[in-house]
Amino acid sequence: MPYSAEISRRSPGLIVFLLDQSGSMGDDFGTDGTSKAQASADVLNRFIQELILKCTRGEGEVRDYFHISVIGYGAQSNVASSILGADVVPISQLQQQPVSIEKKKKKVPDGAGGVVEVDQDFPIWVTPTAGSNTPMAAALNIAHQIIGNWISNNPHSYPPILINITDGEASDQPEPIAEQIKQMATSDGNVVLWNCHITGNNATRILFPSDEGMLPDQIAQSMFRMSSVIPSSMVSAAKETFDDPTISQNINKNSRTLAYNSDLIALIQFVDIGTRTSLR
Amino acid sequence: MLEIKTNFQSSKIGNDDTDNEDAVFFDLTKNKFAIADGATTGMYSQKWANMLVKSFINSEKGLFDDPSIFDEIITTAKVEWKNAIPWDTLAWNAKAKAEQGSFSTFLGLDLKPDAGFRWNAISVGDSCLFKIKSGQITGSFPLQNSSEFNYNPHLICSISDSYKSHITTISGMLETDESLLLATDSVSKWIAQRHETNPTENILKVLPQDNVEIKEFFGKEIDAGNMKNDDLTLLVISH
């Protein structure tokens, strides 16, 4: 059965993030003044934090169940490059090397029926950037190379996961290389390409669309074509996560791994589905 | 007089012995026995599993004395857990993870001499007790079938009372030709499957006597795909 390979320290998984850092990411994401760049960085930082917590075991050691790659694109014209200091970084190394750790107040139960405010650490690996154009194909080409190397060295591992966070309007031609990446596979299944297409407009949120015609414009339809068909083993997890009938009733075996115009919390839940596997 | 026929523990194949997150503790003078299976997904699971079994055995009261004793046992373990964690020196991730609590299954057994022994058992999760008469399994607790074992058993959390709605209890008599077998989930599921395939099999004859031989035997069963590669605990108590 595909997508059932054990993720362990001996056979870790690979997660590659592509982060749109183009100028348009400086535009508003919602109504509270948050930019799309800030929202994307928040999603990515939160996701990496949660992944590190999943990998924290025993008496606090971080086990290298995952290796991570983050490729930013568009901070400078036509440039895509790794932003973690290396193309692929073991998760334990990320735990040790956040760019900074912010303190935020959090309310927790005090054990006597009330609540107290405590400081909570929010580590930061990715800072918001909004620069130039949107060389998405260039970023996908780097991902193609990284994933190809990974599969050569880990031919039986859980299939690599590629998550692209963007506002969509590529300045090059990303569809052909996206198609090539989706055809790459380990013995446990094909690479899954997840697209988080954020817009900042008031359009209806659409998760896991199964038909291109469900999307409102050509950019979103292109993102649909670049997204993978959801692996059948993840359909029930997707339905459980998004039990709102307006979403869950549309999730089926033809659904694509695309989140269009989603809020931050749903985006985090969306990308989490792809990595919800047994860690040994 | 009760007798321990088998007291076997081993770590998941590929892990160090020190990684074992199962716990077993007993006191033959008190006729009390307990096993626990710390959840690998949590932090300090090994500590928590050990605190649970020790709190159960070390408690002055037993399951025969007071039905609410179990809550006192868990509360004692929770306080010990909280005090044992070096909160101020933990890295950001370890502190955040520890704040989510540690998790473990639990199975406790308390016996009292009578005409034979009367016994009470209490459980949260999928660590199981098997009743054995003349080598054959005559019952199991809390799970009845191999299909009931899954990756999400009920657990006792070190910072929550959610276990209270998942407590199950059972009582019985232990006669002279009977044994009670306690095991964590991997061994329990394996036993349940064997029993379903061959209900009259003498499980005590299937299991080797010596711990080195048991480890080798279980290793072969894991390699053959008959048993999940996991931490293993097996305790056999006979009258």
Side-chain angles (χ1 to χ4, degrees), chain B residues 113-158:
Chain B
D114 201 329
F117 279 88
R118 284 194 295 133
W119 56 264
N120 280 329
I122 191 161
S123 158
V124 176
D126 59 4
S127 295
C128 288
L129 178 153
F130 294 87
K131 294 192 290 178
I132 297 171
K133 186 175 179 68
S134 303
Q136 290 179 13
I137 293 166
T138 58
S140 65
F141 163 81
L143 305 188
Q144 313 291 321
N145 303 298
S146 62
S147 61
E148 293 176 71
F149 290 87
N150 59 46
Y151 282 103
N152 299 302
H154 295 306
L155 299 164
I156 300 177
C157 174
S158 59

Side-chain angles (χ1 to χ4, degrees), chain A residues 35-215:
Chain A
S35 68
K36 288 186 275 188
Q38 180 69 58
S40 303
D42 285 349
V43 168
L44 198 41
N45 287 321
R46 174 78 180 277
F47 187 81
I48 293 172
Q49 180 187 3
E50 291 293 331
L51 210 54
I52 289 171
L53 293 191
K54 269 190 192 175
C55 298
T56 300
R57 301 288 172 92
E59 303 222 339
E61 75 268 19
V62 178
R63 298 182 181 170
D64 284 325
Y65 295 125
F66 291 102
H67 290 227
I68 305 295
S69 176
V70 180
I71 300 160
Y73 56 98
Q76 295 172 319
S77 179
N78 298 323
V79 173
S81 60
S82 294
I83 57 178
L84 292 178
D87 277 350
V88 177
V89 179
I91 193 93
S92 61
Q93 198 174 315
L94 285 181
Q95 180 270 332
Q96 294 163 16
Q97 296 174 346
V99 175
S100 61
I101 297 181
E102 292 179 0
K103 298 270 187 199
K104 292 185 181 174
K105 295 285 184 193
K106 182 188 172 191
K107 287 181 178 171
V108 297
D110 65 0
V115 291
V116 289
E117 273 200 342
V118 296
D119 281 331
Q120 194 175 33
D121 294 331
F122 280 87
I124 306 293
W125 291 272
V126 177
T127 51
T129 304
S132 183
N133 62 353
T134 312
M136 197 185 295
L140 286 162
N141 271 309
I142 295 174
H144 182 268
Q145 193 176 354
I146 289 170
I147 291 170
N149 289 340
W150 177 270
I151 291 175
S152 295
N153 295 324
N154 303 274
H156 304 297
S157 72
Y158 190 86
I161 296 156
L162 177 56
I163 299 166
N164 181 28
I165 305 174
T166 178
D167 65 357
E169 202 164 355
S171 47
D172 49 14
Q173 300 297 322
E175 285 195 47
I177 186 68
E179 198 54 44
Q180 282 185 46
I181 290 172
K182 289 191 288 178
Q183 298 308 317
M184 301 169 92
T186 69
S187 60
D188 193 45
N190 283 56
V191 174
V192 181
L193 172 47
W194 299 73
N195 279 302
C196 302
H197 182 186
I198 57 179
T199 69
N201 65 29
N202 292 326
T204 306
R205 176 175 75 163
I206 300 172
L207 294 168
F208 299 105
S210 54
D211 187 288
E212 196 175 318
M214 296 168 72
L215 282 312

Side-chain angles (χ1 to χ4, degrees), chain A residues 6 9-10 49 52-60 62-63 95 98 101 119-121 123 125 278 280, chain B residues 12-15 21 40-47 91-97 99-100 151 228-229:
Chain A
E6 182 177 286
R9 285 167 283 184
R10 280 184 295 177
Q49 180 187 3
I52 289 171
L53 293 191
K54 269 190 192 175
C55 298
T56 300
R57 301 288 172 92
E59 303 222 339
V62 178
R63 298 182 181 170
Q95 180 270 332
I101 297 181
D119 281 331
Q120 194 175 33
D121 294 331
W125 291 272
S278 172
R280 295 306 181 80
Chain B
K12 175 181 173 177
I13 294 170
N15 285 359
E21 289 169 331
T40 308
T41 49
M43 233 179 91
Y44 293 119
S45 301
Q46 189 183 54
K47 265 194 170 76
W92 67 265
N93 59 305
K95 185 164 179 278
K97 182 90 173 197
E99 284 170 349
Q100 296 173 0
Y151 282 103
K228 186 176 81 173
N229 184 17

